[in-house]
Amino acid sequence: MWQAQRSRQETLALRQQLIGSSCKLFFSNDPVKIIKAKGQYMYDENGRRYLDCINNVAHVGHCHPDIVKAAHEQNQLLNTNSRYLHDNLVDYADRLSKTLPEKLCIFYFLNSGAYHGHLTSLIDISPYKFRNLEGQKEWVHVAPVPDTYRGLYREDHEDSVTAYANEVKIIIEQAQEKGRKIAAFFVESLPSVGGQIIPPPGYFQKVAEHVHKAGGVFIADEIQVGFGRVGRHFWAFQLQGEDFIPDIVTMGKPIGNGHPIACVATTKEIAEAFAATGVEYFNTFGGNPVSCAIGLAVLDVIEKEHLQAHAMEVGNFLMKLLKEQKTKHPIIGDVRGSGLFIGVDLIKDQAERTPATEEAEYLITRLKEEYILLSTDGPGRNVLKFKPPMCFNMEDAKFVVDTIDKVLTEMEKECLNQQKTSTCST
């Protein structure tokens, strides 16, 4: 058992008193107090172990000893900014370059990713953020998510790739008619908040063609899905095909296994154009020796423990088990993913595919009671998202799917007992 300094209720009371209310908690009605973690497991103040199915930040496992050692050893020697020469910075950039297409060879380091951001300039281009604020600015254009399950063009469309890419083309043309130019197209390589979406292969190539023709650049956001998570490739954008190379790649979260480090990779041409503006880029913590030592250690662990191949093997097994549940439980509308990035789309009805939001919320609450940490995402908050630490294994996969089966069976029995089919998912 591990003893916490305060009880859970005391900690919660202090948080409510001292921390801004906009800083949300998981399971806000009954939050979990976590005091220790190792691998794919987290432990509360009473020593109870939870299986972590969602923490892609602890990419190679919570508190991995190699990462802790690298941070400690470098901290004992030096930590300063990148305005001094240091081998860790160039060694790390060199190692990252070997994982990317040759064209992406210039790096900028910073201490946090720009996934949705807190700057107005980033909030303005994130529907996830601006939909709750002042709304969409006239210079921002939002393309439909290339979702072939519940989007505009679905799995039965004759050419969903071209259809979704043409939506981007239309947006560009409409912007140009208003006298605007296109600066950039931003996209998560696999949209996560959008609902664990897997864009159809070839979509990025066609979009990039339209964007480049309009004078813009293509930016692939790998902050949630990079570093081998998708199994078949090191980077999720590579799922689109070998012929696709983005102009800019952003990376963060898993890059430092929980340590605040992030990076932007781009081409020489774009880097030189940026330098020509005369604006100096400097980030106090970006590229410091400790962060780079940790980044190098993460790459070492991914390679040494064969985590990319492991993600493919375990992910395929997890997908197989989940698809078996789809045939048993009508509430499961779709199972999609690659490697250890998987979404389970819960629906109220097969025909309309109405998001089963309340049911999804109930399910993850019950899973927490069974010591499994899972969460929902997507516009309807109905998609179960699996993005566990990469050490998540076959036994974990079976445990979580067996428990989902158990809870869904309970839900179905309760629904029948109530004999109120209007409130039941079928």
Side-chain angles (χ1 to χ4, degrees):
M1 295 286 184
W2 296 277
Q3 296 299 317
Q5 290 184 331
R6 297 183 178 87
S7 71
R8 186 176 70 98
Q9 287 303 320
E10 288 173 330
T11 303
L12 178 59
L14 278 172
R15 178 170 174 130
Q16 291 171 338
Q17 175 187 338
L18 299 170
I19 307 302
S21 60
S22 59
C23 301
K24 303 296 184 182
L25 282 164
F26 282 138
F27 312 107
S28 57
N29 292 330
D30 185 26
V32 183
K33 182 174 181 179
I34 297 297
I35 65 167
K36 183 175 179 176
K38 183 178 182 181
Q40 64 273 47
Y41 306 110
M42 304 179 81
Y43 301 83
D44 69 11
E45 76 278 15
N46 295 310
R48 291 174 296 204
R49 190 180 81 170
Y50 292 79
L51 175 61
D52 184 357
C53 297
I54 54 175
N55 200 326
N56 63 317
V57 178
H59 189 62
V60 300
H62 291 280
C63 305
H64 194 291
D66 290 6
I67 313 301
V68 174
K69 180 182 177 183
H72 179 64
E73 290 182 351
Q74 184 56 54
N75 246 326
Q76 290 182 308
L77 290 173
L78 171 71
N79 196 17
T80 186
N81 64 53
S82 59
R83 282 176 162 161
Y84 297 96
L85 284 174
H86 198 278
D87 287 344
N88 285 5
L89 177 65
V90 293
D91 287 346
Y92 187 40
D94 183 56
R95 283 283 297 278
L96 279 177
S97 71
K98 289 178 170 58
T99 70
L100 289 159
E102 186 177 353
K103 180 181 175 182
L104 296 167
C105 58
I106 303 296
F107 300 86
Y108 299 87
F109 291 98
L110 49 157
N111 72 304
S112 182
Y115 173 54
H116 291 295
H118 302 290
L119 300 175
T120 301
S121 57
L122 290 175
I123 291 172
D124 283 347
I125 63 170
S126 173
Y128 176 67
K129 285 289 183 76
F130 69 57
R131 68 186 179 194
N132 294 322
L133 296 171
E134 297 179 0
Q136 184 176 337
K137 299 289 195 296
E138 64 172 333
W139 49 272
V140 176
H141 316 282
V142 180
V145 176
D147 178 356
T148 56
Y149 179 68
R150 64 170 63 254
L152 287 175
Y153 309 106
R154 300 186 175 183
E155 69 274 9
D156 57 353
H157 192 276
E158 60 181 5
D159 187 0
S160 61
V161 171
T162 300
Y164 275 116
N166 281 343
E167 291 292 326
V168 178
K169 181 182 179 184
I170 291 168
I171 289 171
I172 290 172
E173 291 171 347
Q174 290 174 341
Q176 290 173 329
E177 287 172 3
K178 296 178 181 178
R180 294 196 174 279
K181 297 180 180 179
I182 300 300
F185 179 81
F186 293 81
V187 64
E188 285 185 89
S189 297
L190 301 179
S192 179
V193 169
Q196 301 290 94
I197 304 301
I198 310 296
Y203 170 70
F204 284 5
Q205 289 91 324
K206 289 183 179 294
V207 169
E209 183 179 344
H210 298 317
V211 171
H212 289 155
K213 186 177 179 181
V217 297
F218 191 109
I219 301 175
D221 178 353
E222 293 274 335
I223 286 171
Q224 297 245 32
V225 294
F227 293 89
R229 174 162 296 279
V230 298
R232 278 187 285 160
H233 300 282
F234 199 80
W235 302 105
F237 71 78
Q238 292 170 320
L239 292 170
Q240 290 285 309
E242 293 182 3
D243 60 331
F244 174 71
I245 301 175
D247 302 297
I248 296 172
V249 173
T250 60
M251 55 191 84
K253 288 191 177 181
I255 193 173
N257 210 59
H259 180 83
I261 177 176
C263 181
V264 173
T266 190
T267 65
K268 285 185 178 180
E269 293 78 11
I270 290 175
E272 288 170 359
F274 177 44
T277 66
V279 176
E280 178 190 2
Y281 170 74
F282 176 69
N283 182 300
T284 302
F285 299 105
N288 70 74
V290 172
S291 294
C292 290
I294 291 170
L296 284 162
V298 170
L299 293 178
D300 287 341
V301 172
I302 292 172
E303 184 176 331
K304 180 176 70 175
E305 298 184 4
H306 308 289
L307 292 181
Q308 183 179 329
H310 178 79
M312 191 78 265
E313 183 181 12
V314 177
N316 284 344
F317 179 65
L318 178 56
M319 287 269 287
K320 173 180 175 290
L321 296 181
L322 289 167
K323 286 180 178 179
E324 289 172 357
Q325 294 302 309
K326 181 177 181 292
T327 64
K328 183 177 180 181
H329 300 289
I331 193 174
I332 299 178
D334 191 36
V335 176
R336 50 185 178 260
S338 179
L340 286 174
F341 177 91
I342 296 171
V344 179
D345 200 315
L346 302 184
I347 57 173
K348 289 183 178 292
D349 57 272
Q350 294 286 341
E352 297 297 324
R353 301 179 179 179
T354 308
T357 305
E358 298 80 10
E359 293 86 345
E361 181 65 25
Y362 176 80
L363 176 58
I364 64 168
T365 299
R366 278 287 291 114
L367 289 175
K368 188 201 75 167
E369 294 169 359
E370 300 286 342
Y371 305 108
I372 294 170
L373 301 177
L374 193 63
S375 64
T376 60
D377 228 325
R381 304 297 302 181
N382 67 302
V383 180
L384 307 180
K385 62 175 183 179
F386 289 85
K387 292 181 295 182
M390 296 277 276
C391 49
F392 187 90
N393 60 38
M394 299 285 199
E395 183 181 343
D396 301 323
K398 189 171 189 315
F399 170 57
V400 71
V401 176
D402 284 347
T403 310
I404 288 173
D405 179 26
K406 170 187 168 183
V407 176
L408 290 180
T409 301
E410 291 173 359
M411 291 167 63
E412 289 161 359
K413 286 181 178 178
E414 178 66 21
C415 188
L416 287 172
N417 289 339
Q418 293 177 358
Q419 294 184 342
K420 295 180 180 178
T421 56
S422 64
T423 63
C424 299
S425 296
T426 57

